[in-house]
Amino acid sequence: DMPAMICRFKADGMITFANSFYCNYFNATYEDLVGSSLFLLIPEEEREFVRNNYLSLNRKKPFITYEFKAFDADGKECWQRWTDRALFNEHGELVEYQSIGEDITERKQAEQQQAESEARLRGLIANTNDLIVVIDANGNISFSSPSSERIFGYKPEEAIGRNFIEWVHPDDLAEATIAFQSRSHIPGTALKSIKVRGQNKDGSWRYIEVLGTNLIDDPAINGIVLNI
């Protein structure tokens, strides 16, 4: 009755047991599956990968988890995640394998969408004229866009680890500190805009406008945009 695919099979892939969830997922009866080959349910290009995973198991390493692309009973492409365990008798001899699986298609699609979104965001950040930095609750920079070199003379890797306040002119320090410390802790809320002088790597100063917002996923971190 477990809401997961469960089967047992021999070293050659012959199925010896399949639970109801497994049968329903592959739209097959228990009688159809038991005695048939596990590999008939696995895309040809993934069969060696699956076989090598479970054959690698032994008493010291009795289980393994892996993922692969497959097809469901309707022929639709999907992703599956399986945990195989080798089962041994009292003499230490391999009897068969038990495998518990789940369909992780939705998770994989979400991960792909997130990766594509992050790639688009990195492209926008790399090509914007504004300087975008991410700072933690103490004002330390954990990310800096490429514009930092054009605006302040610092390469992004040189900016990381520095404190944002170090860039601010002494006469503007009080205003900048108050604005930063009094920022809202509500995720996604815009912070107070301030205009201060920022110091270039060569020691010169330039006027900048600082706009910021707390990141939605972590109110203790701020995304700060610096505009000339």
Side-chain angles (χ1 to χ4, degrees):
D1 294 328
M2 283 186 62
M5 294 178 280
I6 302 177
C7 70
R8 287 192 178 187
F9 55 92
K10 297 293 185 177
D12 61 1
M14 186 186 74
I15 298 174
T16 60
F17 168 81
N19 73 337
S20 59
F21 197 95
Y22 188 101
C23 295
N24 293 335
Y25 182 86
F26 289 107
N27 194 25
T29 66
Y30 182 86
E31 290 73 21
D32 288 336
L33 291 171
V34 173
S36 67
S37 174
L38 174 78
F39 295 106
L40 295 177
L41 306 173
I42 300 173
E44 186 175 355
E45 63 272 17
E46 300 287 358
R47 293 174 184 174
E48 184 176 359
F49 169 73
V50 172
R51 183 185 290 107
N52 289 340
N53 271 289
Y54 72 74
L55 289 180
S56 70
L57 301 179
N58 51 54
R59 289 180 63 84
K60 292 183 178 180
K61 179 192 172 185
F63 67 89
I64 190 170
T65 298
Y66 53 90
E67 303 172 359
F68 62 90
K69 188 180 294 186
F71 296 95
D72 63 16
D74 297 324
K76 294 174 58 178
E77 187 177 273
C78 64
W79 277 91
Q80 298 172 4
R81 182 175 188 266
W82 293 89
T83 297
D84 294 348
R85 176 177 287 276
L87 304 177
F88 302 91
N89 61 21
E90 63 273 18
H91 303 296
E93 300 168 333
L94 176 70
V95 177
E96 59 184 355
Y97 300 89
Q98 177 169 286
S99 190
I100 300 178
E102 59 178 326
D103 188 305
I104 58 169
T105 305
E106 291 186 2
R107 192 196 77 189
K108 281 291 188 178
Q109 290 174 342
E111 290 175 351
Q112 182 177 356
Q113 291 173 356
Q114 181 178 355
E116 292 173 351
S117 177
E118 291 176 351
R120 288 193 296 269
L121 179 59
R122 285 194 296 269
L124 290 172
I125 290 175
N127 292 286
T128 183
N129 289 324
D130 294 329
L131 168 58
I132 300 177
V133 298
V134 176
I135 60 178
D136 62 20
N138 297 315
N140 297 316
I141 298 172
S142 60
F143 169 82
S144 176
S145 67
S147 294
S148 62
E149 186 171 10
R150 178 181 60 80
I151 296 175
F152 287 115
Y154 290 98
K155 295 180 179 180
E157 57 270 24
E158 294 177 312
I160 294 175
R162 292 172 60 91
N163 195 285
F164 167 68
I165 298 300
E166 295 178 19
W167 276 342
V168 180
H169 192 282
D171 294 342
D172 301 328
L173 188 58
E175 180 184 4
T177 301
I178 292 174
F180 179 75
Q181 292 179 344
S182 63
R183 68 196 187 282
S184 170
H185 287 276
I186 301 176
T189 301
L191 310 182
K192 179 182 178 182
S193 172
I194 59 173
K195 293 180 180 180
V196 298
R197 282 161 289 184
Q199 187 175 39
N200 291 341
K201 187 175 181 179
D202 62 11
S204 61
W205 299 91
R206 67 167 57 200
Y207 281 94
I208 58 174
E209 180 181 9
V210 182
L211 307 172
T213 183
N214 283 320
L215 294 181
I216 294 177
D217 60 344
D218 191 343
I221 300 177
N222 295 294
I224 302 297
V225 180
L226 304 184
N227 299 320
I228 298 176

